[in-house]
Amino acid sequence: MCTACVFPTNTGLTEDEFENCWNSNEDGGGFSYIDEGGKLVIFKSLDLDELKKLWKEHHTKHSPYSPFLLHFRASSAGLITTDNCHPFSPNPKVAFIHNGTIHKMPNDKERSDTRIFSEDYLTKLPHNFLNNPTIMVMMAEYLGTNKIAFLGTDGETLVTNKSQWVTHNDALFSNAFYKIKRTRTSNSDPTGMAM
């Protein structure tokens, strides 16, 4: 199970919390924010040290004015590649991260269910779909218990199934992996739940 995180401006997580999330989800990670020019910025990596370095550099500089999405991936579908790491951007105005499995997506050996959802479905929606209540209600019903967090270039974040998220230091986490150090015991444990 991945860990998705939503950080309002001037919020973040400790280095231990960052590493706890990674150790439960070692199949890559990424983050997104809005730069000074109002454009979405996305970084992804399969390497903890690289991701941590990029996070510290960009979060320190941009968190005073931009919310951040941060994601740690535990592969359940698709290859372990940066292309399958979150966040995804179905259009220039939206980035999103996901926790769960979208069972309605077709099976694809290379692409993850979230990547398919982004590339084959969300790209077909109008760029301002976050502002359309009808689309968002239909999406929430389609996704069921999945947790998705969106970041728009207007600086707003929107999450599905908000009552299922964990609030910690004013940030939202899709689960509590940030507080429990977990490590994988073998490659057969894609959730990182084994202790």
Side-chain angles (χ1 to χ4, degrees), residues 21-170:
C21 289
W22 179 273
N23 288 335
S24 294
N25 308 279
E26 297 175 321
D27 295 331
F31 61 88
S32 182
Y33 66 92
I34 302 161
D35 71 12
E36 296 92 336
K39 294 183 180 177
L40 288 169
V41 176
I42 295 176
F43 285 98
K44 302 178 183 189
S45 179
L46 297 176
D47 179 75
L48 170 61
D49 292 333
E50 178 183 37
L51 184 65
K52 196 181 338 177
K53 179 183 174 204
L54 289 167
W55 170 258
K56 286 179 183 177
E57 176 186 330
H58 290 270
H59 185 260
T60 300
K61 182 177 179 183
H62 302 284
S63 71
Y65 68 84
S66 176
F68 272 72
L69 300 181
L70 175 63
H71 189 272
F72 300 89
R73 181 171 186 242
S75 173
S76 60
L79 300 174
I80 298 173
T81 64
T82 54
D83 287 341
N84 282 327
C85 288
H86 307 212
F88 293 97
S89 182
N91 69 58
K93 295 182 177 285
V94 176
F96 78 98
I97 55 177
H98 167 237
N99 174 233
T101 301
I102 308 172
H103 295 288
K104 296 175 183 176
M105 293 298 102
N107 289 331
D108 186 318
K109 292 180 181 178
E110 293 186 15
R111 296 187 302 162
S112 71
D113 56 313
T114 311
R115 183 173 163 200
I116 293 168
F117 184 61
S118 179
E119 293 176 354
D120 296 356
Y121 294 82
L122 296 184
T123 57
K124 293 175 175 45
L125 295 177
H127 286 192
N128 65 345
F129 72 85
L130 293 180
N131 298 322
N132 186 317
T134 303
I135 290 175
M136 296 311 294
V137 166
M138 287 174 33
M139 187 179 312
E141 288 177 8
Y142 182 81
L143 294 169
T145 59
N146 285 273
K147 298 175 200 129
I148 292 189
F150 294 96
L151 172 62
T153 54
D154 60 0
E156 295 297 318
T157 57
L158 179 72
V159 298
T160 64
N161 297 307
K162 189 170 184 176
S163 65
Q164 295 177 24
W165 292 70
V166 176
T167 302
H168 172 66
N169 292 335
D170 296 324

Side-chain angles (χ1 to χ4, degrees), residues 178-191:
Y178 65 89
K179 65 182 178 179
I180 301 170
K181 188 165 188 108
R182 299 173 191 233
T183 56
R184 293 190 186 185
T185 57
S186 72
N187 288 336
S188 65
D189 179 27
T191 66

